[in-house]
Amino acid sequence: QVQLVESGGGLVQTGGSLRLSCAASGRTFRNYGMGWFRQAPGKERALVAAINWSGGIKYYADSVKGRFTISRDNAKTTVYLQMNSLKPEDTAVYYCAASPYNIKYSAADYESWGQGTQVTVSS
């Protein structure tokens, strides 16, 4: 099982930017599709963005499309989520997750999870 550690969360004002990083270890990173999920208090964990094993296919939730960018660097075994034009509704704990090879859209289909990093956007 691949092990994942998120970093880069914090407090930012509306309109600001953050870059989240997820460092992977334990297995061959290039064999995994990666997703970023977020969970706000009282809400279900929801997929924000995902990227397949090669980086050639990306998915974004409508709520973040045009503002967030997912990328991966297989040589560094790291996946990133660049978040621009942040809004208060983006406030949540953000998790990275890994699935074999391809993009998955349900949290239940991901095999490995990071511990989460808090993102708070103030108005």
Side-chain angles (χ1 to χ4, degrees):
Q1 187 178 51
V2 63
Q3 294 177 309
L4 307 172
V5 179
E6 303 99 331
S7 62
L11 175 64
V12 65
Q13 294 183 1
T14 297
S17 298
L18 287 171
R19 188 181 74 163
L20 306 184
S21 298
C22 177
S25 63
R27 297 293 185 271
T28 303
F29 179 71
R30 67 174 66 251
N31 290 341
Y32 290 85
M34 301 294 298
W36 283 99
F37 289 78
R38 67 186 182 188
Q39 187 167 26
K43 295 186 179 295
E44 296 286 316
R45 188 171 298 186
L47 181 65
V48 174
I51 187 167
N52 78 328
W53 67 272
S54 70
I57 303 174
K58 298 177 181 179
Y59 164 84
Y60 298 98
D62 287 342
S63 59
V64 307
K65 195 172 298 180
R67 299 188 297 120
F68 291 11
T69 303
I70 190 169
S71 62
R72 68 190 296 161
D73 187 336
N74 288 344
K76 296 180 179 179
T77 66
T78 301
V79 63
Y80 305 94
L81 186 68
Q82 178 67 46
M83 305 185 295
N84 298 326
S85 302
L86 283 162
K87 305 174 181 180
E89 52 262 46
D90 296 319
T91 296
V93 177
Y94 283 71
Y95 301 88
C96 67
S99 66
Y101 294 104
N102 298 315
I103 288 174
K104 303 295 193 297
Y105 302 97
S106 172
D109 293 326
Y110 284 78
E111 295 183 347
S112 301
W113 293 84
Q115 82 289 346
T117 185
Q118 177 71 47
V119 172
T120 302
V121 184
S122 62
S123 60

